[in-house]
Amino acid sequence: MNTFSLKIIACDRVFYDGACKILVFPGYDGEMAILANHESMTSTIEIGEIRYQLEDDTWQTAIVSDGLLRVEHNEVNILVYSAEKPEEIDAFRAEAALERAKEQLQQKQSVMEYHISQASLARAMARLRGSGKAPF
């Protein structure tokens, strides 16, 4: 069998739950891929785009926040704060969030506020890239 069970869980919903042939996700040191019967592992997911191939060979895309991934017994579970299909992204709101994050980064902040602003900037950029309306 060349598929595995994939479950993508966001805070507000189960984004996807079904069979998958291959999963490509942004890891801490670049893109990583998972195939059927992958060795057990736990990893982080960075803000960006997840791509996964279904049994009918179609590819699906999700724009996700950072989170965790666990592979065990031919099952992959992903837990992220948010997951969106590209067509669900409101480009206007993402552009506004990008501008807010840029402004916040220019202000004097604590270290924690700086990292929050950086994460907000990364999320906004990923959402704009995913929607196909990125100005960069």
Side-chain angles (χ1 to χ4, degrees):
M1 179 183 237
N2 62 351
T3 63
F4 57 92
S5 172
L6 173 63
K7 191 171 202 176
I8 303 172
I9 303 167
C11 284
D12 58 344
R13 64 183 167 157
V14 174
F15 182 81
Y16 178 77
D17 188 4
C20 179
K21 285 185 172 181
I22 184 170
L23 167 70
V24 180
F25 68 95
Y28 62 92
D29 60 350
E31 275 194 340
M32 302 172 85
I34 306 270
L35 295 168
N37 302 307
H38 194 284
E39 183 177 341
S40 294
M41 70 176 240
T42 302
S43 180
T44 59
I45 292 184
E46 298 297 314
I47 297 168
E49 180 181 273
I50 289 179
R51 297 181 311 279
Y52 51 99
Q53 186 179 26
L54 305 178
E55 287 182 294
D56 63 1
D57 293 331
T58 60
W59 283 88
Q60 300 291 317
T61 302
I63 308 305
V64 298
S65 66
D66 49 351
L68 297 172
L69 172 139
R70 186 183 79 199
V71 180
E72 195 170 53
H73 306 298
N74 216 30
E75 292 182 5
V76 177
N77 293 305
I78 296 175
L79 182 61
V80 292
Y81 181 72
S82 66
E84 299 174 283
K85 294 179 182 176
E87 58 271 13
E88 295 174 342
I89 296 172
D90 182 348
F92 180 75
R93 280 185 53 221
E95 286 176 15
L98 179 68
E99 291 305 316
R100 273 193 313 274
K102 285 180 180 178
E103 287 173 13
Q104 289 172 348
L105 282 171
Q106 293 176 353
Q107 298 171 5
K108 187 174 182 178
Q109 301 177 344
S110 69
V111 173
M112 186 170 74
E113 289 170 331
Y114 173 79
H115 288 294
I116 290 170
S117 296
Q118 270 193 320
S120 296
L121 181 69
R123 271 193 304 277
M125 290 173 61
R127 293 181 75 225
L128 283 171
R129 254 189 253 108
S131 72
K133 298 188 170 98
F136 35 87

